[in-house]
Amino acid sequence: MNEYDSEMMAGLLESMGYEPAADQDDAGILILNTCCVRGTAENKVWGLLGRLKKWKRQREGRILAISGCLPQQPGTSTDICRRFPHVDIVFGTYNRHELPGLIEQVIKERRQVNKVWEKEGEIPEEIPVRRQSGLKAWVPIIHGCNNFCTYCIVPYVRGRERSRRPEKIIAEVQELASQGYREITLLGQNVNSYGKDLEENIDFADLLKELDGIEGLWRIRFMTSHPRDFSEKLIDVIATARKVCEHVHLPAQAGSNRILKAMGRGYTRENYLSLVSKIRKAVPGVAITTDLMVGFPGEAEEDFADTLDLVRRVEYDQAFTFVYNPRKGTPAAKMEQLPEDVKSRRIQKLVALQKEISLLKNKAEEGKVREILVEGPSEHNPTRLCGRTRTNKTVVFEGDDVQVGNLIEVRIVKGHLTHLEGVPVQDEEKR
Ligand code: SAM
Ligand code: SF4
């Protein structure tokens, strides 16, 4: 979601006549788009803000701005202004579309502007977005979250659930497809809540069906779906809609019923496991990925063992693993916290187990032929190309006659921990 927000801010800057700078030294405006979901990301921002004092002084007229969910926390924006007088603009997640006016104000008045809306407003539409790729695009469909999981700050800094109007989403995706974008990822903290706040009778599964019919679009992905609201109807659409990819990101967070209850997740490990088997039965070959947390307050050894057990049972293709850290204002922050050494031992164990499983899963791909969308040079080895399977696995390969933006078939020759190596089937035939 933050990546999308950055693309939107870049679009707004371009519409004002600005161009992307080659690097920080070359830049006249610098915006820190922050995230406060985890303490580690937040701490980096405090350090960076201090270091940017020098950058600000180096050239007359430079503008330093900070946005995202960090200043959206109560009291934080005034705190930023007081502690960092070299920051020119502070704005939040609800009013990021106001950026052009705020820049003009700073240029005119040459004084610090602190403008963070306390409440979410209407979803601003028709905002220019400068997308990083010409092939794949993020498309937000629902903003905010109503779930209030006890550890999470998102509902406080991103507001209540607001679904975008279906006709706006459909028009945006049609426009993207006509510009040559081939893959979209629908974004929301819980895409399964889509439509609940709209007048018309439409849910996430209906929206997917509508988007599946858009000509020129090849792949549809979505993130994130809450396990509690994953309907049979949605499983059916993933199984039948041709463009909807066979990948479900299904954050479990924990494997112990006691901890899931304390987190307020609204499902049990049994519900979760049964959902996973239903999805696997209906969508053969589906990849399942997750978010997991260790060290939630009160997590005993046996609770952690339940998380490891869940990971072994589900055999996730990939997992994002986090050490719980208290977020101010959330109920879990007031609970008794676990010692850091316990958290650190648990995360290491969890990461090691998931690595074993991810490698096995990727090795099981060896010999299979997979369709990939060719995205361009590989990040780690620019002499080779890379693309993704429908199950969202990265495939690195060599191919002279391969065009970026095409769908091609590759045979997987080696599975690594983080990616697959492949050979285009068209080249295999030539050999
Ligand atoms: N809406 C998504 C869901 O319900 O799964 C997740 C959104 S959250 C921005 C992304 C991930 O950050 C969560 O799935 C969780 O694992 C992690 N996270 C959230 N709050 C955290 C905290 N206080 N400490 C550590 N990790 C946290
Ligand atoms: Fe946070 Fe829970 Fe909402 Fe996800 S569903 S954003 S974890 S409150």
Side-chain angles (χ1 to χ4, degrees):
M1 196 60 102
N2 266 44
E3 273 182 40
Y4 173 81
D5 288 348
S6 292
E7 291 183 346
M8 181 175 116
M9 289 190 247
L12 286 166
L13 287 170
E14 265 193 354
S15 70
M16 295 176 76
Y18 290 101
E19 284 172 15
D23 54 31
Q24 208 166 290
D25 284 340
D26 182 35
I29 298 185
L30 206 139
I31 304 172
L32 299 190
N33 186 17
T34 63
C35 171
C36 64
V37 170
R38 282 175 291 276
T40 33
E42 180 168 332
N43 292 337
K44 272 190 210 162
V45 176
W46 297 126
L48 190 56
L49 271 182
R51 290 197 298 282
L52 284 170
K53 206 175 200 168
K54 197 168 146 216
W55 175 85
K56 180 71 196 291
R57 275 208 220 105
Q58 269 166 352
R59 204 200 295 165
E60 182 72 17
R62 272 184 165 164
I63 294 177
L64 177 60
I66 176 163
S67 179
C69 56
L70 182 65
Q72 195 67 57
Q73 295 176 86
T76 308
S77 65
T78 7
D79 194 35
I80 295 174
C81 290
R82 198 173 33 81
R83 284 174 59 195
F84 304 98
H86 59 291
V87 170
D88 298 288
I89 309 172
V90 185
F91 61 118
T93 48
Y94 302 150
N95 63 328
R96 50 211 185 304
H97 57 285
E98 289 202 312
L99 179 62
L102 298 175
I103 291 178
E104 276 162 16
Q105 192 178 338
V106 165
I107 293 174
K108 213 159 70 200
E109 300 174 10
R110 273 288 147 205
R111 59 175 181 88
Q112 207 172 39
V113 178
N114 175 5
K115 192 135 184 242
V116 176
W117 285 6
E118 274 181 23
K119 263 206 82 51
E120 64 271 36
E122 295 263 295
I123 303 171
E125 292 285 353
E126 330 309 340
I127 293 201
V129 179
R130 183 182 200 276
R131 294 189 152 95
Q132 291 288 330
S133 140
L135 208 57
K136 306 198 300 182
W138 305 115
V139 179
I141 60 164
I142 178 166
H143 295 270
C145 181
N146 288 357
N147 285 318
F148 289 94
C149 301
T150 57
Y151 51 83
C152 186
I153 202 165
V154 168
Y156 305 90
V157 292
R158 294 255 171 194
R160 293 298 74 72
E161 281 169 0
R162 281 112 54 221
S163 302
R164 279 181 74 195
R165 302 222 31 91
E167 67 275 11
K168 297 279 181 200
I169 301 171
I170 293 164
E172 180 174 353
V173 177
Q174 277 168 338
E175 175 63 20
L176 286 167
S178 72
Q179 291 170 2
Y181 286 85
R182 297 295 171 235
E183 179 178 308
I184 53 157
T185 302
L186 306 174
L187 294 178
Q189 291 305 340
N190 179 12
V191 289
N192 301 350
S193 288
Y194 180 77
K196 283 186 187 160
D197 56 323
L198 294 174
E199 267 168 29
E200 56 265 74
N201 196 7
I202 180 165
D203 62 15
F204 181 52
D206 298 326
L207 180 72
L208 279 179
K209 266 195 267 179
E210 286 277 343
L211 297 173
D212 193 52
I214 293 180
E215 218 170 295
L217 183 71
W218 296 343
R219 288 177 166 189
I220 303 172
R221 302 186 185 279
F222 56 89
M223 225 176 28
T224 300
S225 24
H226 195 298
R228 192 197 49 212
D229 310 318
F230 214 104
S231 66
E232 304 260 340
K233 183 174 165 192
L234 177 58
I235 300 180
D236 190 48
V237 174
I238 302 171
T240 52
R242 208 170 50 82
K243 294 172 188 173
V244 177
C245 290
E246 295 76 26
H247 170 216
V248 178
H249 186 65
L250 203 61
Q253 311 299 356
S256 139
N257 281 339
R258 211 172 61 82
I259 297 297
L260 285 171
K261 190 155 186 243
M263 287 176 164
R265 290 291 289 177
Y267 51 86
T268 60
R269 62 183 274 125
E270 292 76 22
N271 300 148
Y272 185 91
L273 285 166
S274 127
L275 174 62
V276 167
S277 17
K278 273 191 212 156
I279 297 174
R280 287 213 162 120
K281 201 162 156 222
V283 190
V286 66
I288 298 189
T289 56
T290 197
D291 290 355
L292 293 163
M293 222 188 286
V294 300
F296 184 81
E299 184 189 64
E301 274 310 321
E302 52 274 29
D303 296 314
F304 175 58
D306 280 347
T307 298
L308 294 179
D309 181 67
L310 183 86
V311 170
R312 280 191 204 101
R313 280 171 195 256
V314 177
E315 296 188 329
Y316 292 106
D317 288 79
Q318 206 196 342
F320 296 103
T321 49
F322 305 109
V323 174
Y324 163 79
N325 52 52
R327 302 282 69 211
K328 218 166 112 197
T330 60
K334 296 185 201 92
M335 301 176 188
E336 197 180 330
Q337 306 295 316
L338 289 188
E340 289 305 317
D341 61 325
V342 171
K343 295 189 195 176
S344 142
R345 195 169 33 78
R346 289 184 187 164
I347 192 80
Q348 284 171 28
K349 254 187 158 167
L350 178 62
V351 168
L353 171 63
Q354 182 53 46
K355 274 188 176 167
E356 255 174 58
I357 297 171
S358 297
L359 183 61
L360 280 178
K361 285 255 161 184
N362 284 350
K363 287 226 162 286
E365 290 288 297
E366 290 175 5
K368 308 244 165 78
V369 171
R370 299 288 184 220
E371 178 203 86
I372 62 164
L373 176 62
V374 184
E375 291 176 15
S378 148
E379 214 178 289
H380 301 292
N381 182 354
T383 62
R384 305 174 89 188
L385 288 167
C386 77
R388 276 176 194 259
T389 62
R390 287 177 62 93
T391 51
N392 209 29
K393 291 181 191 280
T394 303
V395 184
V396 177
F397 61 98
E398 273 166 27
D400 295 334
D401 303 328
V402 173
Q403 288 278 318
V404 172
N406 277 2
L407 284 178
I408 63 162
E409 299 221 298
V410 290
R411 185 178 303 282
I412 307 303
V413 291
K414 197 154 174 53
H416 298 275
L417 180 60
T418 54
H419 67 280
L420 308 171
E421 252 176 87
V423 174
V425 171
Q426 62 189 52
D427 292 353
E428 243 181 14
E429 283 154 9
K430 272 188 241 153
R431 279 178 196 165

